[in-house]
Amino acid sequence: MFNKLFLKVLLSVSLSVAALSSANAALITQDILFDDQGTWASIGEITVVTAEADKFGYISEWYDFTLLGFDLLTVAESGGGLFEAEIDLADFSAGLQFLSFDLSESNLGTYAFNGIVSAQFSFFDAFTSNGLALFGEIKLGDANVSVPEPETAFLLLMAVAGLMARRKSL
């Protein structure tokens, strides 16, 4: 009797821990805004997965990153480039605290993008094979934080399973 109860408790605790770690894998999405002669216009969007952050909040890869209509290759896919972002682990809704990148849009390197957004400084430039295409100041729009549906559905199913197991034991 005690062994069965102990195994049930151990199983439910391990499933709860697994569910909680999945639930913390939120997505943070923000627009990248460019200062076009005093008017801020969206030139792209970045999405990062919070579970990818290290214990200090640094992220070295993105989930989705578009600039000027290009869906950028990841650093691993392109074989080079630099990317770093920082989030506040205690407040995902604050969005990215820091963003730095030096990337190309393809392996052919037709466009190259450099940018940095921090509390003190920001800039963006885009180069083509013919030279400088765009240069100016950028900032990040409001953060949109979402929890992907599979993790949310899993948490709901775990709660229903827990209620059903509790009802059967009573």
Side-chain angles (χ1 to χ4, degrees):
M1 171 81 176
F2 179 72
N3 287 339
K4 286 184 180 182
L5 179 62
F6 178 73
L7 288 175
K8 285 182 182 180
V9 168
L10 184 62
L11 178 64
S12 64
V13 167
S14 63
L15 287 175
S16 297
V17 169
L20 288 175
S21 65
S22 297
N24 287 333
L27 299 176
I28 299 175
T29 302
Q30 288 182 265
D31 284 333
I32 299 172
L33 305 172
F34 180 77
D35 184 8
D36 186 16
Q37 300 175 358
T39 304
W40 291 97
S42 178
I43 60 168
E45 183 178 84
I46 184 162
T47 301
V48 295
V49 179
T50 59
E52 297 290 322
D54 66 10
K55 64 182 180 178
F56 302 108
Y58 292 105
I59 299 173
S60 60
E61 196 64 68
W62 63 86
Y63 180 76
D64 189 34
F65 195 0
T66 59
L67 275 174
L68 300 176
F70 295 105
D71 190 12
L72 298 178
L73 297 174
T74 64
V75 173
E77 290 170 336
S78 67
L82 300 169
F83 177 84
E84 184 176 32
E86 181 184 1
I87 60 172
D88 182 353
L89 295 173
D91 184 13
F92 292 158
S93 64
L96 298 177
Q97 305 298 300
F98 174 80
L99 175 65
S100 175
F101 57 90
D102 183 0
L103 306 163
S104 61
E105 114 288 347
S106 71
N107 288 330
L108 301 175
T110 309
Y111 275 88
F113 303 106
N114 297 300
I116 188 168
V117 178
S118 71
Q120 298 84 17
F121 179 74
S122 75
F123 84 92
F124 173 77
D125 61 36
F127 286 91
T128 68
S129 53
N130 296 329
L132 184 65
L134 188 64
F135 177 80
E137 188 178 350
I138 60 172
K139 69 179 181 179
L140 297 169
D142 293 336
N144 178 14
V145 181
S146 62
V147 178
E149 289 300 321
E151 285 85 358
T152 306
F154 180 72
L155 283 175
L156 180 63
L157 288 174
M158 289 299 299
V160 169
L163 289 172
M164 289 175 64
R166 183 163 188 238
R167 184 174 180 195
K168 283 184 180 181
S169 67
L170 292 178

